[in-house]
Amino acid sequence: MQTMSHLIPSKLPPELLGNVEQQIQDWLSALPAAGESADFTAEQLAALRYVWTCSTFVANACRRDPRLLTELLRAGDLGRRYGADEYKNQVDRALDAVIDEAGLMKALRQLRTREMVRIAWRDIGRLAPLEETTQDLSSLAEACLDGALQRLHTWQCAELGVPADDRGEPQQLVVLGMGKLGAHELNFSSDVDLIFAYPDAGETRGGRRGGGVDNEEYFRRLGQRLINAIDKLTEDGFVFRVDMRLRPFGEAGPLAMPFEAIEDYYQLHGRDWERYAMIKARVVAGDCQAGERLMAILHPFIYRRYLDYSAFDSLRNMKQMVNQEVRRK
């Protein structure tokens, strides 16, 4: 384990330790049966004690899977910063042999647990700055969303046909990340705020059912399957909680909308808070090229050509509402 000796108190208070010592002994005893060595240095055990005392999540995850921590150690992942495409590569490897949604959900949750333990370890041990921790959490969410979407889209195309516009051009879902995800600022308890979109109306072609499903229905089903793959609580936990309430018309609106309908919504009905929320929006999964077109379409709504006094008034009103909510809580 990368040294954290300069960060670890020489003696942790008993009220903090609780039953951590017994948990560690139970974990060490379980390692040989899992085919792992229980030979750790005093410094490594001190680091383990420190992290487990600070995070019941890390402790419980390691106890459920005794090989988790030793595998992270062998890979050297606790002591290094990930590269730009590391999470994408990790997700691709984890999902390489997946053939159905049950396997997809299990693989994503197991990978999520591994990476959350790694990120938490580095955060608690001050081996990573705050910016790296929030970036890692955001990159993990982004990679899981995109990896799951790719496979779900392939499976649904085989069943319902390939969605296409009136010219026969294939369509794919575009996933916008909002809020903390869009700004690379996720924390350990964050939801992922998403908006689903697709380029044009049309219908599917081919597939086992012979096509003929309109794009709105196709992408609604695909969006529901993606939410289920990421958000559903199973015996392996969940990946991230998904919040779709920032989409046009909120919970009353369609789950996925074509670009033209989204543009009309924001130009005709977009509220000030939606304008400011869109500043952090970015494409996190799906067809990135089409997503950039969507962001270009929304640019005039997000960044108005001219500011007037009403814009400043709306900012003051929003600030006042935030202050009132803080006082209320």
Side-chain angles (χ1 to χ4, degrees):
M1 300 178 190
Q2 184 168 338
T3 179
M4 298 190 301
S5 57
H6 65 295
L7 302 172
I8 301 173
S10 58
K11 186 176 181 181
L12 292 169
E15 57 268 25
L16 286 181
L17 276 171
N19 60 350
V20 168
E21 292 289 357
Q22 185 59 53
Q23 291 176 353
I24 291 174
Q25 292 306 314
D26 293 342
W27 176 73
L28 291 170
S29 300
L31 287 176
E36 300 289 347
S37 170
D39 185 21
F40 296 98
T41 67
E43 184 180 356
Q44 288 174 330
L45 290 175
L48 178 64
R49 185 180 301 111
Y50 179 67
V51 175
W52 280 25
T53 299
C54 293
S55 174
T56 55
F57 166 77
V58 174
N60 291 338
C62 292
R63 290 164 58 211
R64 282 194 300 269
D65 181 1
R67 297 170 297 178
L68 175 58
L69 187 56
T70 54
E71 191 276 324
L72 281 166
L73 287 168
R74 277 196 303 273
D77 288 348
L78 294 179
R80 69 182 182 92
R81 184 170 190 160
Y82 276 0
D85 294 326
E86 192 101 23
Y87 281 112
K88 179 183 183 304
N89 296 334
Q90 293 250 19
V91 169
D92 286 342
R93 286 194 295 270
L95 303 184
D96 184 55
V98 165
I99 60 173
D100 57 26
E101 287 180 66
L104 173 69
M105 293 171 68
K106 189 171 190 66
L108 285 173
R109 282 152 180 75
Q110 289 176 342
L111 176 64
R112 182 258 189 190
T113 299
R114 179 193 190 275
E115 296 308 319
M116 283 290 195
V117 167
R118 173 193 168 272
I119 297 169
W121 185 285
R122 289 178 56 77
D123 180 52
I124 292 168
R126 300 180 191 174
L127 302 174
L130 176 62
E131 293 79 8
E132 179 185 330
T133 298
T134 58
Q135 176 65 66
D136 275 359
L137 290 166
S138 302
S139 296
L140 174 61
E142 187 173 348
C144 288
L145 284 164
D146 194 53
L149 179 57
Q150 288 180 28
R151 284 148 186 85
L152 291 169
H153 178 68
T154 299
W155 296 337
Q156 189 160 297
C157 282
E159 179 186 356
L160 301 179
V162 178
D165 61 18
D166 293 339
R167 301 179 303 277
E169 293 293 326
Q171 307 276 293
Q172 292 187 48
L173 190 68
V174 172
V175 180
L176 297 184
M178 308 292 289
K180 292 184 178 69
L181 175 59
H184 306 277
E185 295 172 347
L186 282 189
N187 60 51
F188 288 102
S189 61
S190 295
D191 299 346
V192 289
D193 295 292
L194 306 177
I195 292 177
F196 296 157
Y198 56 94
D200 294 296
E203 64 179 25
T204 63
R205 305 183 181 196
R208 290 192 294 271
R209 297 188 182 181
V213 176
D214 65 63
N215 287 354
E216 180 180 2
E217 174 68 11
Y218 177 93
F219 288 114
R220 181 186 65 80
R221 293 191 193 183
L222 182 60
Q224 289 173 336
R225 294 171 77 174
L226 179 59
I227 293 170
N228 191 59
I230 299 297
D231 183 270
K232 185 176 180 179
L233 183 63
T234 72
E235 62 181 8
D236 298 298
F238 62 95
V239 187
F240 287 91
R241 291 185 299 271
V242 176
D243 191 334
M244 300 296 301
R245 290 176 295 177
L246 292 184
R247 70 185 188 268
F249 300 109
E251 292 178 298
L255 191 63
M257 294 174 63
F259 289 1
E260 184 177 2
I262 290 177
E263 180 182 19
D264 289 344
Y265 169 82
Y266 285 113
Q267 292 300 332
L268 298 175
H269 307 290
R271 292 160 287 181
D272 289 321
W273 70 263
E274 291 176 302
R275 186 191 315 279
Y276 307 136
M278 270 290 170
I279 292 174
K280 292 185 177 182
R282 65 185 178 91
V283 183
V284 296
D287 188 339
C288 293
Q289 187 173 358
E292 292 307 318
R293 294 205 314 271
L294 175 60
M295 294 309 300
I297 290 171
L298 296 178
H299 189 274
F301 168 72
I302 303 169
Y303 302 102
R304 296 170 59 182
R305 183 181 295 273
Y306 303 107
L307 290 177
D308 53 32
Y309 287 111
S310 65
F312 298 114
D313 287 340
S314 68
L315 281 170
R316 292 190 187 99
N317 292 335
M318 285 188 64
K319 176 61 176 173
Q320 185 178 23
M321 291 171 63
V322 169
N323 290 340
Q324 290 173 347
E325 184 66 11
V326 170
R327 287 195 296 270
R328 186 185 68 80
K329 291 183 176 181

